[in-house]
Amino acid sequence: MLGKVQVNNLNLFQGEFDEVERYFLFVGRGAGTNEGKLVTVNTDTDLGEVLGEESFLRTQIEAAKANAGQNWNACVYPLADAESWSEAVDKCMELVSVEAVVVTDAVADSTAVEAYQAKAESIMGKYMRPLFFIGTSRAMTAEENWTDFATHLKGLVAGVAADQVMIVPTLWGMDLGALAGRLCNQAVTVADSPMRVATGALVGSWSAKPADKDGRTIDMSILQDLESARLSVPQWYPDYPGLYWADGNMLDVPAGDYQCVENLRVVQKAMRRVYVLAVARIADRKLNSTPASIAANQTYFMRPLREMSRAVEIMGIQFPGEVKPPKESDITINWKTKYQVEIYLVVTPYNCPKSITCNLLLDLSNQAEA
């Protein structure tokens, strides 16, 4: 026998995951520039040069750019003549991976809203790519009052079960883009609600409040009515400067886990990373039913949750991670057959206050001080 040496380069899959979060695709009718083309934009882009004259699409992207702040980037697909948003999304999915699709053309009815959910599920089925859709309504007409407009808006989402869709009414005119930008703000995580006041007030011309045909200016009762119908709207606080956002409502069913966008985002982020790890284990005998293998692979598949749970403490203030640190009981590996294995992971977000009640008590006991 002759001596022989072989050196193999073994890949342990310890590298960085692709960062898809906060990268959105905008699709809609433009002003004739770059129609039928996928273009990328960021904070340095001259939107007039890339998207042409003023259009609703460009208005939303300008609002997103302003509200996202530093290091924002996105991709835009201005629709070609007679091209539908669905055809455009299919074309873009061959070219780019995104966290969300923002369709700037108004939905006409609830069927159009349900089409967003169907498209999200279709993309997941074809590409194993979790994402969500953000749609919008038309603006209020000169013949409508707030009651008429609210009736139209509620009809868009009534009876719709779509946990991967959110609908933003067009009230000020740049509502859709402002929310999309706020969700892409690098100063916060995907686990933070767009309601977060510490993120700052909405950027743009929000001080002039819209009014209906009767001259009634929008007020919090109107916004509360729309929010209760599962629409995502801005809001303000009495005697507190600035306009902010309410909850990022998804069109999930009552008692569903994904009624707010931050819950969906953290789970979809984990899904993207776990999928990559699972593909790398196909037909790899390092994953087997022995106790040692199960223990090792519990550590392996928990990596995304460990990374998402990392917190930072500075000046005695803790900034929590996107989810709570996973416990050993948060993962179960179950062998169904010799060749089929199921892995269950628990993602646990932190509590977050969206309603705060402060109770103050007056002490009149007048006890003598020592």
Side-chain angles (χ1 to χ4, degrees):
M1 179 176 179
L2 297 178
K4 181 172 66 173
V5 174
Q6 179 170 326
V7 180
N8 295 321
N9 181 7
L10 303 180
N11 193 336
L12 298 181
F13 301 97
Q14 301 170 93
E16 296 291 326
F17 294 108
D18 289 340
E19 182 73 25
V20 175
E21 291 73 35
R22 302 184 189 86
Y23 189 57
F24 287 9
L25 166 66
F26 290 79
V27 175
R29 297 288 167 190
T33 302
N34 282 319
E35 288 185 345
K37 299 178 182 178
L38 182 68
V39 295
T40 57
V41 295
N42 64 14
T43 51
D44 297 326
T45 303
D46 183 338
L47 296 180
E49 179 180 340
V50 173
L51 301 176
E53 299 176 357
E54 289 295 331
S55 64
F56 191 74
L57 172 65
R58 178 178 161 184
T59 297
Q60 304 317 306
I61 296 173
E62 288 173 341
K65 177 181 177 181
N67 282 273
Q70 304 174 57
N71 297 310
W72 170 80
N73 63 335
C75 51
V76 186
Y77 187 95
L79 293 172
D81 289 341
E83 188 176 26
S84 69
W85 67 263
S86 181
E87 294 169 333
V89 169
D90 287 339
K91 185 184 298 185
C92 293
M93 287 300 103
E94 297 288 341
L95 304 172
V96 67
S97 180
V98 297
E99 184 188 11
V101 177
V102 183
V103 183
T104 62
D105 293 347
V107 292
D109 50 35
S110 59
T111 301
V113 176
E114 290 171 331
Y116 291 158
Q117 177 76 9
K119 180 60 70 175
E121 294 180 355
S122 172
I123 291 169
M124 183 63 190
K126 183 175 182 179
Y127 298 99
M128 291 298 292
R129 189 178 294 168
L131 51 70
F132 62 95
F133 276 77
I134 310 177
T136 190
S137 74
R138 62 169 174 80
M140 183 170 55
T141 67
E143 292 75 33
E144 289 178 311
N145 59 25
W146 288 116
T147 301
D148 299 329
F149 191 43
T151 300
H152 166 73
L153 293 174
K154 292 176 185 178
L156 299 177
V157 299
V160 174
D163 61 1
Q164 296 169 73
V165 179
M166 61 194 317
I167 298 297
V168 181
T170 298
L171 303 172
W172 273 260
M174 59 280 196
D175 313 70
L176 177 67
L179 174 59
R182 200 168 179 85
L183 293 174
C184 292
N185 194 310
Q186 297 279 354
V188 293
T189 72
V190 296
D192 285 297
S193 169
M195 183 189 289
R196 184 176 184 269
V197 172
T199 306
L202 297 176
V203 179
S205 302
W206 297 91
S207 57
K209 296 177 181 177
D212 64 9
K213 72 179 184 68
D214 300 325
R216 180 187 175 187
T217 303
I218 195 169
D219 56 46
M220 281 302 300
S221 68
I222 296 170
L223 294 173
Q224 177 64 60
D225 182 45
L226 298 179
E227 198 280 334
S228 298
R230 302 185 297 165
L231 297 159
S232 295
V233 297
Q235 75 164 100
W236 63 85
Y237 298 90
D239 208 22
Y240 195 96
L243 195 69
Y244 301 87
W245 205 267
D247 224 349
N249 290 325
M250 309 304 296
L251 300 178
D252 197 3
V253 297
D257 289 341
Y258 304 110
Q259 296 183 56
C260 55
V261 67
E262 62 269 23
N263 283 352
L264 180 69
R265 295 183 83 190
V266 293
V267 170
Q268 288 193 339
K269 180 175 180 177
M271 289 170 65
R272 296 182 191 102
R273 284 150 175 76
V274 169
Y275 172 70
V276 173
L277 297 178
V279 170
R281 278 292 189 262
I282 292 293
D284 187 339
R285 291 186 299 115
K286 288 196 296 291
L287 175 56
N288 57 62
S289 58
T290 64
S293 174
I294 289 176
N297 281 282
Q298 283 177 330
T299 300
Y300 172 79
F301 282 105
M302 288 290 262
R303 175 189 162 190
L305 300 186
R306 290 196 307 273
E307 293 180 353
M308 292 171 64
S309 70
R310 289 172 183 162
V312 176
E313 184 171 327
I314 183 170
M315 296 180 65
I317 302 173
Q318 187 180 62
F319 296 85
E322 294 165 327
V323 296
K324 291 184 178 181
K327 305 184 296 292
E328 184 178 345
S329 60
D330 287 342
I331 181 170
T332 298
I333 298 178
N334 176 47
W335 281 90
K336 293 180 63 178
T337 69
K338 183 176 177 63
Y339 301 113
Q340 296 181 33
V341 64
E342 294 179 331
I343 300 172
Y344 298 86
L345 296 109
V346 177
V347 181
T348 309
Y350 285 91
N351 295 342
C352 183
K354 297 182 179 180
S355 176
I356 300 176
T357 301
C358 300
N359 299 301
L360 284 75
L361 292 82
L362 183 64
D363 183 1
L364 294 176
S365 62
N366 197 28
Q367 295 177 358
E369 295 184 3

